[in-house]
Amino acid sequence: MATAATDRTAAPEPAPHVLVVPYPAQGHTIPLLDLATLLASRGGVRLTVVATPATAPLLAAHGDAVGELVLPFPSHPAFPAGVESAKGLSPALFGALIVAYAGLRAPLGDWARERSGDPDRVAAILSDFFCGWTQPLAAELGVSRIAFSPSAVYGTAVLHSLFRRMPQREDGDDESPIDFPDLPSAPAYPWRQLTLLYRTYRDGNEVSEGVRRNFLWNLEASSFVSNTFRRLEERYLVAPLADLGFRRVRAIGPLAPDAADTASGRGGETAVSAADLCAWLDGFADDDGSVVYISFGSMAVLQPPHAAALAAALERTGVPFVWAVGTAAPLPEGFEERVAAAAATAGRRRGKGRVVRGWAPQVAALRHRAVGWFVTHCGWNSVLEASAAGVPMLAWPMTADQFVNARLLVEEAGAAVPVSWDGIQAAPDADEVARVLGAAAGGRFAHVAARAKELAEEAAAAVTDGGASRQEMEELVRELRELGSEPKE
């Protein structure tokens, strides 16, 4: 006798749940949130982003695409109470922030274990490379962890190489060259151009050892995902790198908003609206590319001698400019007043210069036809935003990975001209800054501007259907789905 068939249909398996852990710095959080939103838009995965009360507002620009988990910022004796991010933080405390933030490991572990037996269990962790502590957390939970790099592959490899090999300078000489023998062409940098995180390492110090352990943990990740694109860093992507643990690196960038989304609040509230700044730039529409946009990022505070040299060069050359100076930049006495006075009497063009105090709508500015050059510290987010917009750069690196990025742009990509290689230690002469500004405005670096336009085409091709970055993104989604198909043993 045949058995009657039941008419019940099995409930579909829920999409794999990925825990996303950004690092609390603008240049790290923003691209990882962009990536999380893109992953969510592909479907088939659910994402929960970790934040603290101070960083949670950045999630607002991403709507309901991702879930959020807001936890109290962990306290640590080496880190000041009441501070939750790197914005405006003294560089001397960057290492302490990495170590303090690792205090989220225990509450995150408790949160994940509470969900280990139900469909909401964590299937994988996607976390910033400054959150290396999520690697042992992933091991405890029995899941894979993918390390996200908001930096160039080249810069990421240099950073990890330092803590992997621990090279030393000779006789305390700041100009002592440090070699990177496992990277293509074996580059070398003077000691003073290495990241402060490494130069301030002290053997046996809790913070120093915690920072080193952070980067060594990254070398155990299942893979790296980098906010870059293949045509920009081909030589660092053709084969696995020893300095990245021979792990696979997926180049999925540039992670930048679409041209129609330049007014979004992905970076937080701006001191001037995109509409207002673009309206001001419209006054130069009959002279495309004549305006220089200037910004040194959200973390660095320009030193007085550097600000003085740049301000003097701007006044000497008369180059039209927008200078996003942040809230604490020590501009020379009377400079802002002279700029404002010129704006008040200049009529249609409203003056040749504009100072923005606070966060500026940088993407909108760079994509405006009036902007022809970008004076930048070469933070990687700024590099990619300029590359996507086709704007050539005047490179003025200060610290961190900025010297590595600047070398990549100047010597390999050909999309930038150096202003100074002296960093925060010494400001260039104002006459030299004026020479570079004048040459750029006068069209003497036309070959660099042309290369920047080519780079924009390559960046756009990478993220379109069939492009290298788009393909890597689709493979990442498939990987995350597969990781969530069954619990790991």
Side-chain angles (χ1 to χ4, degrees):
M1 182 176 176
T3 303
T6 63
D7 194 29
R8 289 180 298 174
T9 302
E13 287 290 322
H17 185 191
V18 179
L19 185 64
V20 181
V21 187
Y23 178 72
Q26 294 274 68
H28 291 245
T29 299
I30 292 170
L32 187 48
L33 289 178
D34 287 341
L35 174 57
T37 302
L38 280 173
L39 291 173
S41 72
R42 297 307 191 264
V45 291
R46 293 173 296 141
L47 300 105
T48 296
V49 179
V50 177
T52 65
T55 59
L58 284 177
L59 273 64
H62 298 264
D64 298 326
V66 298
E68 65 177 55
L69 171 62
V70 180
L71 297 172
F73 190 91
S75 62
H76 191 280
F79 196 71
V83 179
E84 295 188 16
S85 76
K87 190 172 184 179
L89 190 67
S90 165
L93 287 171
F94 286 174
L97 176 56
I98 292 174
V99 174
Y101 200 59
L104 288 181
R105 176 177 167 181
L108 270 181
D110 292 341
W111 181 87
R113 278 185 285 271
E114 290 174 359
R115 290 154 179 78
S116 60
D118 61 37
D120 202 34
R121 69 178 182 85
V122 172
I125 295 176
L126 173 62
S127 58
D128 189 275
F129 68 18
F130 275 4
C131 301
W133 49 270
T134 56
Q135 183 61 41
L137 172 61
E140 293 170 8
L141 299 175
V143 301
S144 292
R145 179 242 177 169
I146 298 170
F148 172 73
S149 169
S151 302
V153 177
Y154 179 22
T156 304
V158 165
L159 177 61
H160 286 80
S161 178
L162 290 171
F163 288 99
R164 182 176 73 90
R165 297 185 305 108
M166 301 296 289
Q168 300 299 310
R169 59 179 169 170
E170 295 182 6
D171 303 321
D173 182 7
D174 277 354
E175 297 300 325
S176 179
I178 304 300
D179 299 323
F180 295 87
D182 295 321
L183 287 173
S185 300
Y189 288 83
W191 176 267
R192 64 178 174 80
Q193 290 185 357
L194 302 182
T195 174
L196 192 66
L197 280 175
Y198 183 71
R199 288 188 287 121
T200 56
Y201 175 87
R202 299 292 179 268
D203 190 31
N205 176 270
E206 179 193 1
V207 169
S208 292
E209 297 295 350
V211 169
R212 184 181 186 218
R213 188 164 57 246
N214 174 86
F215 293 110
L216 295 182
W217 270 327
N218 288 331
L219 305 184
E220 301 173 17
S222 62
S223 63
F224 282 81
V225 173
S226 182
N227 184 20
T228 190
F229 57 102
R230 182 164 289 275
R231 290 298 296 273
L232 179 59
E233 295 200 83
E234 187 83 41
R235 68 191 311 205
Y236 306 105
L237 289 163
V238 293
L241 300 174
D243 291 321
L244 295 180
F246 295 104
R247 295 305 195 255
R248 173 170 183 169
V249 179
R250 296 190 188 277
I252 46 78
L255 292 168
D258 295 332
D261 195 32
T262 55
S264 73
R266 66 194 282 266
E269 186 176 354
T270 58
V272 59
S273 71
D276 179 50
L277 183 56
C278 287
W280 186 85
L281 289 167
D282 285 343
F284 299 86
D286 58 347
D287 196 5
D288 288 356
S290 62
V291 179
V292 175
Y293 178 76
I294 305 162
S295 174
F296 289 85
S298 61
M299 291 170 55
V301 175
L302 209 58
Q303 300 300 305
H306 297 73
L310 180 53
L314 289 169
E315 292 194 285
R316 290 176 194 178
T317 61
V319 172
F321 69 89
V322 173
W323 187 352
V325 300
T327 57
L331 296 184
E333 185 176 355
F335 175 76
E336 287 184 85
E337 289 77 10
R338 289 191 296 275
V339 171
T345 60
R348 185 175 61 84
R349 285 198 171 182
R350 299 182 233 176
K352 281 197 169 185
R354 180 161 184 176
V355 174
V356 178
R357 280 283 182 184
W359 188 260
Q362 181 164 292
V363 173
L366 291 173
R367 292 187 177 177
H368 195 285
R369 60 189 295 181
V371 173
W373 287 89
F374 179 18
V375 177
T376 173
H377 64 312
C378 297
W380 194 244
N381 270 1
S382 290
V383 166
L384 289 183
E385 289 169 358
S387 296
V391 177
M393 287 160 270
L394 298 176
W396 196 342
M398 294 292 174
T399 185
D401 62 347
Q402 295 159 20
F403 290 98
V404 180
N405 298 341
R407 284 263 292 267
L408 176 69
L409 291 166
V410 173
E411 298 175 6
E412 297 185 34
V417 175
V419 175
S420 171
W421 292 109
D422 290 331
I424 60 175
Q425 291 190 339
D429 184 80
D431 288 338
E432 175 59 18
V433 180
R435 183 193 68 79
V436 176
L437 281 175
R444 275 173 276 175
F445 300 134
H447 61 292
V448 178
R451 177 62 189 124
K453 297 299 183 186
E454 294 174 356
L455 205 59
E457 294 174 359
E458 293 167 357
V463 296
T464 56
D465 288 338
S469 293
R470 176 65 65 86
Q471 291 180 31
E472 290 280 29
M473 181 73 73
E474 299 300 341
E475 290 183 16
L476 175 60
V477 172
R478 284 195 291 272
E479 178 184 350
L480 291 172
R481 289 170 181 162
E482 290 169 2
L483 288 173
S485 61
E486 292 182 6
K488 290 184 64 177
E489 296 297 333

